[in-house]
């Protein structure tokens, strides 16, 4: 429940209200600029957003990082999916969603009803994400 009430600043300005994403499938990825596996999987998440977005699915990345570092990183490596600035408090939210270790990357798939369907600690790849999302 805390996730759907959460609001995060966006790197480009404005706010991401998680409540606005209810009612559609969602891949939520916790990441950091300093995390090599996080950076490696970003093109895969980006490609999923381009493919899956046309059918209503969404990919959101929550940066567990310093906002300035995230803005500088995204200026060099932009992505098409939505990024929210969760800051280091994002670790607590990821733990609430099942990330017992609090490590990154951590990815959660929600169905359109907001129910968790899949979780993974560690990098995901496009084939795995496509398998997850086809079930929805």
């Amino acid at each position: 429940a805390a996730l759907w009430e959460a609001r995060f600043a966006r790197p480009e300005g404005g706010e991401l209200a998680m409540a606005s994403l209810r009612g559609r499938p969602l891949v939520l990825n916790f990441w950091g600029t300093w995390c090599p596996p996080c950076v490696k999987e970003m093109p895969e998440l980006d490609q999923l957003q381009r493919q899956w977005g046309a059918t209503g699915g969404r990919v959101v990345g929550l940066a567990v990082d310093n906002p300035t570092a995230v803005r500088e990183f995204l200026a060099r490596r932009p992505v098409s999916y939505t990024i929210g600035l969760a800051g280091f408090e994002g670790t607590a939210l990821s733990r609430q969603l099942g990330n017992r270790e609090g490590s990154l990357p951590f990815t959660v798939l929600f169905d359109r009803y907001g129910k968790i369907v899949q979780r993974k600690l560690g990098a995901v790849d496009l084939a795995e994400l496509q398998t997850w999302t086809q079930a929805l």
Side-chain angles (χ1 to χ4, degrees), residues 12-110:
E12 68 275 13
E15 183 179 71
L16 167 62
M18 294 303 294
S20 69
L21 301 173
R22 288 193 94 153
R24 49 200 310 190
L26 172 68
V27 169
L28 183 63
N29 176 260
F30 291 84
W31 68 285
T33 61
W34 44 267
C35 163
C38 300
V39 173
K40 182 177 184 271
E41 71 184 359
M42 290 179 85
E44 312 271 335
L45 291 161
D46 198 45
Q47 190 170 347
L48 179 69
Q49 176 59 53
R50 289 193 306 271
Q51 294 172 350
W52 193 42
T55 61
R58 289 289 299 269
V59 176
V60 170
L62 290 181
V64 181
D65 207 329
N66 173 291
T68 301
V70 174
R71 286 183 186 99
E72 290 173 357
F73 176 88
L74 292 172
R76 293 187 313 273
R77 297 180 79 163
V79 294
S80 63
Y81 58 93
T82 302
I83 299 291
L85 299 172
F88 295 105
E89 296 79 27
T91 302
L93 179 57
S94 78
R95 285 182 192 274
Q96 291 172 14
L97 296 174
N99 184 357
R100 292 186 183 100
E101 295 179 27
S103 299
L104 296 177
F106 180 65
T107 305
V108 184
L109 173 67
F110 295 89

